[in-house]
Amino acid sequence: QDVGLGRNAAVIAVDLALAARDDENKASLAFDWSERLIKDGIGVTLLLLEKLHQAATQLGRRERALHYSRLAEAERVRIAAIR
């Protein structure tokens, strides 16, 4: 049964990236880990997408920030459609 442990780990990794704003190496490692977890096929929530966008922006990864911004907007639209 899927209990969302991978997604929880990805959220924790992004939180670590955001918290390590004074240590770019640690922030980068945590962000990269979160992206690897996501590529393993875990489901992503709007909150996770927003945090990924924020972390990518903080790290100066414009292309990734834009990617997550677009995914977050698509998820907002999807959520609005089911309300």
Side-chain angles (χ1 to χ4, degrees):
Q1 178 181 356
D2 181 15
V3 293
L5 294 177
R7 184 172 38 244
N8 287 338
V11 169
I12 291 167
V14 175
D15 286 342
L16 289 171
L18 291 169
R21 66 181 53 214
D22 293 333
D23 187 332
E24 188 174 340
N25 185 51
K26 286 181 183 176
S28 242
L29 287 171
F31 181 79
D32 293 343
W33 179 43
S34 69
E35 288 206 302
R36 281 193 304 277
L37 289 167
I38 290 166
K39 287 178 183 171
D40 285 344
I42 64 167
V44 292
T45 63
L46 177 57
L47 176 62
L48 179 53
L49 292 169
E50 289 172 340
K51 286 183 177 199
L52 286 161
H53 171 257
Q54 184 180 359
T57 299
Q58 180 177 301
L59 287 166
R61 298 185 185 183
R62 292 185 188 124
E63 186 176 312
R64 301 310 294 154
L66 181 59
H67 171 73
Y68 291 118
S69 176
R70 288 178 176 156
L71 289 177
E73 183 56 31
E75 182 64 4
R76 283 186 206 94
V77 169
R78 187 191 72 78
I79 291 168
I82 60 175
R83 287 187 176 173

